Amino acid sequence: MEIAKKITLLFAILSAVIISLLSGFVWYFSNEFAFEDFYKRLEARVKITAQLKLYEDENNKAYAQMRNQYLERLPAERAYVIEADPKKVNSLKADIVLPENFAQNIHSGKMARYRVENHFYAGKYFKIGNRDYIVIISANDPFGFRELKDLQKILIIGFFLSIILSFVVGWRFSNYMLMPLRNIIKSVKKIKAENLHLRLDV
């Protein structure tokens, strides 16, 4: 393999590695930000639903009115208020199937999160008097999920275009860098027995 081709190939491989790392970095943090934002919206609805369904408060009518007025209805949004057994970790008795770690996070007092494709779940444990409840809100995020899919396509197309561009730039770069060496080789080939007086340029 000619040295120019080796330089071009090495340049393209290094470019591919750098572009892959950059694309992965952009994809990961875009993913995290998009999901984090939607989870926050679900968690807010978990707290509001718990306030409306579990607590007897004179301000509940105002809460309900504010919820209907200022919180948009999410696609496929559903609310689950489940009476829980504190002695059983996995006591989610509802028409949903959720993983065990989701139930464990809820029983540990944390705000639990779970996702299947573009369907999201958020839930929390509430203790009201002598009774224990679990409030879960689920909804779809088609807009954010579609944006991530579009971003994924853009990153993939950009990756392949960048590789092609790196081959072209690498080839021109290697030719430019090796031009002095090629000139030396041409000059050496001109020196023969009949013209030994010729000298190479410094």
Side-chain angles (χ1 to χ4, degrees):
M1 186 183 290
E2 295 179 6
I3 189 170
K5 292 181 180 177
K6 288 183 179 180
I7 293 174
T8 302
L9 183 60
L10 180 61
F11 185 81
I13 291 173
L14 291 175
S15 299
V17 171
I18 294 171
I19 294 167
S20 298
L21 291 175
L22 179 61
S23 298
F25 182 84
V26 171
W27 170 252
Y28 175 78
F29 282 100
S30 298
N31 227 352
E32 288 294 309
F33 176 77
F35 291 165
E36 182 66 25
D37 179 65
F38 195 75
Y39 276 128
K40 291 292 185 185
R41 297 167 71 183
L42 287 182
E43 290 170 2
R45 285 162 172 78
V46 167
K47 295 175 182 177
I48 293 174
T49 301
Q51 176 66 40
L52 294 175
K53 302 287 186 180
L54 303 178
Y55 294 92
E56 295 182 2
D57 194 316
E58 59 183 8
N59 296 321
N60 275 3
K61 288 184 178 180
Y63 286 135
Q65 184 178 358
M66 289 180 64
R67 190 213 185 287
N68 295 330
Q69 186 173 355
Y70 295 106
L71 284 182
E72 62 174 328
R73 188 80 178 173
L74 298 174
E77 181 180 341
R78 292 191 64 184
Y80 303 89
V81 180
I82 307 161
E83 190 165 355
D85 186 352
K87 297 179 181 179
K88 296 180 181 180
V89 174
N90 197 356
S91 59
L92 300 181
K93 306 297 182 183
D95 58 338
I96 50 175
V97 179
L98 296 171
E100 187 175 344
N101 63 342
F102 183 85
Q104 289 174 347
N105 286 336
I106 286 180
H107 280 270
S108 65
K110 300 176 182 177
M111 181 71 79
R113 296 175 172 183
Y114 180 61
R115 177 176 71 89
V116 181
E117 292 296 329
N118 70 326
H119 198 71
F120 295 75
Y121 296 87
K124 199 172 188 309
Y125 198 92
F126 295 90
K127 189 173 184 66
I128 312 298
N130 296 326
R131 293 188 174 184
D132 300 274
Y133 297 92
I134 294 173
V135 177
I136 298 173
I137 301 293
S138 68
N140 289 340
D141 184 19
F143 306 110
F145 204 72
R146 187 167 60 245
E147 288 175 358
L148 289 175
K149 286 291 185 183
D150 292 340
L151 176 62
Q152 187 180 36
K153 291 178 182 176
I154 291 171
L155 291 175
I156 292 173
I157 294 171
F159 173 79
F160 286 108
L161 289 177
S162 300
I163 296 302
I164 295 172
L165 182 62
S166 68
F167 265 107
V168 175
V169 173
W171 180 253
R172 294 184 66 86
F173 174 77
S174 63
N175 285 330
Y176 173 77
M177 294 299 294
L178 294 174
M179 187 61 68
L181 182 58
R182 288 197 178 105
N183 292 335
I184 291 173
I185 293 172
K186 288 179 182 178
S187 299
V188 169
K189 286 181 178 180
K190 291 178 182 178
I191 300 176
K192 297 179 182 179
E194 61 271 13
N195 55 5
L196 292 176
H197 65 280
L198 294 178
R199 295 290 183 268
L200 296 177
D201 295 331
V202 178

